[in-house]
Amino acid sequence: MAYYFGEPSRTFNEYLLVPGYSSKDCTPDRVSLSTPLVRYHAGEESRLRINIPMVSAIMQSVSDDRMAVALAKEGGLSFIYASQSIETQVAMVQRVKGYKAGFVRSDSNVRPDQTLADILKLKEIRGHSTLAVTDDGTADGRILGLVTGRDYRVSRMDLNTPVREFMRPFEDLVYAQEGVSLSEANDILWEHKLNALPIIDKNQRLTYFVFRKDYDNHKANPNELLDVQKRYLVGAGVNTHDYKERIPLLVSAGVDVLCIDSSEGYSEWQRDVLQFVREQYGNTVMIGAGNVVDKDGFLFLAEAGADFVKVGIGGGSICITREQKGIGRGQASAVMDVAAARDEYLEKTGEYVPICSDGGIVYDYHMTLALAMGADFLMLGRYFARFDEAPTAKLNVNGNYVKEYWGEGSNRARNWQRYDMGGEGTLKFEEGVDSYVPYAGSLKDNVRQSLAKVRSTMCNCGVLNIASLQKETKLTLVSATSIVEGGAHDVILKESNANVLR
């Protein structure tokens, strides 16, 4: 006879947090949202922590290198999507790792024999006004000069004018040698009233730029997620098909953590990937796995060597796995069940395996609920797809700005490897939809507002960190009537956008 769970499959919307005692010291500015990303032994620190409990989903419409840099600046981490060629995914990782705090790899470069027309075209594509002139037109070439907006006037110059005729030559440039500290580079910028300072090596090859505008940016981002070399941290997704070729190249590119991208993780295929990583790299390469929705799935992946486990099947806004296959579980029930299994595993083995809640977040307060129910961090797709930094087009649809958003299980993603169980290499049916999400502006502004709500709610619960939230918070189920009571009711709202969902 089949096993039946005794409780209904519940969502975040069915719960509320009950306030706890708040002392005078319990203020939002004192709340820490730092959280472990990978497994660790009790009494020790995790080898990898993130400064905010947010990671971006392994999706074409969410996580590329631009998203990775933007999220790392805020203290979170992106997992660059796997449904692309190994070469392009590796290149994205390399671009992220090419950034250092304050040191920027040049992505706008020209040769001296190119023309003003080439300059204008590159400026339109990249949006940068400072371009490096190198002998081969690459970021690693021998630097011969610089071009800024002050070096040409479109109205008075022929578009075929060679770059060499109006660039500032190398001998006239102020530059710094490789190895200079960020503080020293900023001193040079201010002393010489520069907007950009090239950093070169002993062979006159361009390695980085330091920009004046980035000085304030870095001061304004105290939570930046950096490695020991002051480079942004970045993750990458892998699949269960070409992992033997993909993983070594991602590791060589400097990826900080991997995650198996799959709609269902309780499988021999995922165990094979984890075993491959442990046999080839021991514990030097960190890799998460999933997704699962119960104790059995968690224990399977934890014992197979996963560094974290993702929780959630069918709860994403673009995921239709439940209606297509009848597989899944309410996200709140799944998180609570797996969190209990994680705690039991800790008691038994002395190892803490973080869990990631993936899906089911509709409102900002759902983030706090997921953390209180036991999630160590959250993987978000729709949330990040709305922002400027997402790699999709911003469109005007019926007078409203939107961003495109599609699932990895949709035909548009053509990610058949994520779901293939053998047979012909095509997507036989869809488990995700192609859609739009309301455009919401910049990542920074939205993430900071969302986390301000999380911090404030944690103070209402009387806690100052996520571990305390998980241990001390009280939660209550809500009735359908109390859900209505919780919103605006029995009034006429003055503004039509008062109930707009974030």
Side-chain angles (χ1 to χ4, degrees):
M1 179 177 176
Y3 174 80
Y4 290 86
F5 286 88
E7 287 291 321
S9 183
R10 298 193 182 278
T11 69
F12 294 133
N13 243 21
E14 297 179 77
Y15 289 89
L16 286 175
L17 294 154
V18 176
Y21 170 73
S22 300
S23 69
K24 291 180 180 178
D25 292 331
C26 199
T27 56
D29 60 300
R30 295 172 59 87
V31 171
S32 170
L33 294 178
S34 174
T35 190
L37 192 80
V38 298
R39 73 161 67 205
Y40 60 94
H41 290 281
E44 299 179 358
E45 277 291 322
S46 173
R47 289 179 294 160
L48 182 56
R49 296 181 67 89
I50 50 180
N51 295 327
I52 62 172
M54 288 180 161
V55 301
S56 65
I58 311 171
M59 301 175 70
Q60 293 176 2
S61 55
V62 178
S63 297
D64 65 352
D65 49 303
R66 187 181 178 206
M67 175 63 72
V69 171
L71 186 50
K73 285 182 178 180
E74 296 304 310
L77 185 93
S78 286
F79 285 91
I80 291 176
Y81 66 93
S83 53
Q84 60 179 318
S85 72
I86 297 173
E87 294 75 21
T88 55
Q89 188 185 27
V90 165
M92 286 186 182
V93 170
Q94 289 173 329
R95 285 197 290 271
V96 179
K97 300 308 291 186
Y99 281 82
K100 296 177 73 174
F103 293 85
V104 180
R105 293 271 294 174
S106 177
D107 63 357
S108 299
N109 311 284
V110 293
R111 300 184 310 275
D113 61 334
Q114 290 183 265
T115 65
L116 176 59
D118 295 319
I119 293 282
L120 297 177
K121 183 177 180 181
L122 189 57
K123 182 179 178 181
E124 182 180 357
I125 294 171
R126 298 294 187 186
H128 303 318
S129 57
T130 299
L131 292 85
V133 184
T134 60
D135 58 351
D136 58 3
T138 70
D140 301 311
R142 185 168 171 268
I143 187 168
L144 303 178
L146 285 183
V147 173
T148 71
R150 293 179 296 179
D151 297 317
Y152 58 85
R153 293 187 67 178
V154 177
S155 61
R156 297 190 177 186
M157 292 173 61
D158 189 315
L159 293 181
N160 293 316
T161 305
V163 169
R164 66 167 62 90
E165 293 187 11
F166 59 90
M167 71 180 190
R168 278 181 286 162
F170 177 75
E171 54 268 23
D172 293 342
L173 299 180
V174 176
Y175 58 87
Q177 292 289 338
E178 191 175 31
V180 66
S181 70
L182 182 58
S183 177
E184 291 168 338
N186 281 316
D187 286 343
I188 296 171
L189 280 171
W190 288 98
E191 179 183 350
H192 293 275
K193 297 181 173 62
L194 303 173
N195 289 323
L197 178 70
I199 311 298
I200 65 170
D201 66 13
K202 61 184 179 181
N203 297 315
Q204 199 179 313
R205 294 190 177 277
L206 180 65
T207 57
Y208 295 103
F209 272 117
V210 176
F211 293 99
R212 178 192 288 255
K213 64 181 176 63
D214 286 340
Y215 177 81
D216 291 333
N217 286 343
H218 288 283
K219 287 292 185 183
N221 295 318
N223 285 326
E224 283 185 317
L225 193 63
L226 306 171
D227 65 16
V228 293
Q229 299 178 51
K230 304 297 184 183
R231 303 176 302 176
Y232 292 121
L233 267 60
V234 62
V238 297
N239 59 51
T240 58
H241 293 265
D242 63 11
Y243 62 92
K244 292 182 180 179
E245 295 78 38
R246 190 176 292 266
I247 289 176
L249 291 173
L250 288 170
V251 171
S252 296
V255 73
D256 296 288
V257 59
L258 302 169
C259 184
I260 304 172
D261 179 33
S262 172
S263 62
E264 204 279 297
Y266 193 0
S267 73
E268 186 175 1
W269 290 280
Q270 292 221 3
R271 183 170 60 190
D272 287 347
V273 177
L274 294 171
Q275 288 179 344
F276 170 79
V277 169
R278 296 298 168 236
E279 289 169 1
Q280 296 296 315
Y281 303 101
N283 291 321
T284 60
V285 169
M286 296 171 282
I287 181 169
N291 287 17
V292 300
V293 292
D294 66 359
K295 175 180 178 178
D296 292 342
F298 170 83
L299 291 176
F300 174 80
L301 292 176
E303 290 166 358
D307 284 299
F308 65 85
V309 174
K310 284 207 294 143
V311 180
I313 295 176
S317 60
I318 42 69
C319 184
I320 54 173
T321 296
R322 295 180 193 174
E323 68 180 55
Q324 287 280 51
K325 297 167 64 175
I327 291 288
R329 195 177 187 188
Q331 190 66 10
S333 296
V335 169
M336 288 188 288
D337 194 0
V338 174
R342 175 203 57 205
D343 294 344
E344 289 180 22
Y345 187 80
L346 172 64
E347 288 291 323
K348 180 181 177 181
T349 67
E351 285 195 304
Y352 188 92
V353 180
I355 63 172
C356 168
S357 177
D358 179 14
I361 302 294
V362 180
Y363 304 103
D364 286 345
Y365 82 89
H366 289 172
M367 298 180 188
T368 319
L369 280 170
L371 296 170
M373 289 173 179
D376 295 283
F377 57 98
L378 317 171
M379 179 168 280
L380 303 162
R382 179 199 62 87
Y383 179 86
F384 287 116
R386 304 171 301 147
F387 303 150
D388 289 317
E389 293 81 2
T392 56
K394 184 174 94 171
L395 307 172
N396 190 310
V397 177
N398 298 325
N400 297 308
Y401 282 107
V402 296
K403 294 272 284 186
E404 294 182 292
Y405 181 45
W406 60 90
E408 288 299 290
S410 67
N411 273 318
R412 179 169 182 174
R414 299 189 180 279
N415 189 8
W416 66 269
Q417 284 189 326
R418 190 174 194 259
Y419 298 89
D420 182 52
M421 296 291 184
E424 58 184 280
T426 58
L427 191 64
K428 299 175 179 65
F429 58 88
E430 291 185 285
E431 292 187 43
V433 299
D434 196 343
S435 64
Y436 301 121
V437 289
Y439 168 67
S442 74
L443 178 146
K444 177 178 73 173
D445 293 340
N446 284 276
V447 164
R448 292 186 180 187
Q449 183 180 43
S450 296
L451 294 182
K453 296 179 187 178
V454 173
R455 290 186 176 94
S456 179
T457 305
M458 287 173 65
C459 288
N460 293 144
C461 295
V463 298
L464 291 173
N465 56 62
I466 292 172
S468 297
L469 180 71
Q470 294 169 344
K471 293 175 184 175
E472 301 172 20
T473 299
K474 296 176 288 185
L475 295 109
T476 180
L477 278 167
V478 295
S479 68
T481 305
S482 67
I483 291 175
V484 174
E485 178 187 62
H489 59 90
D490 302 313
V491 295
I492 300 172
L493 298 180
K494 291 183 177 180
E495 297 183 17
S496 61
N497 65 352
N499 279 332
V500 170
L501 301 185
R502 284 186 38 76

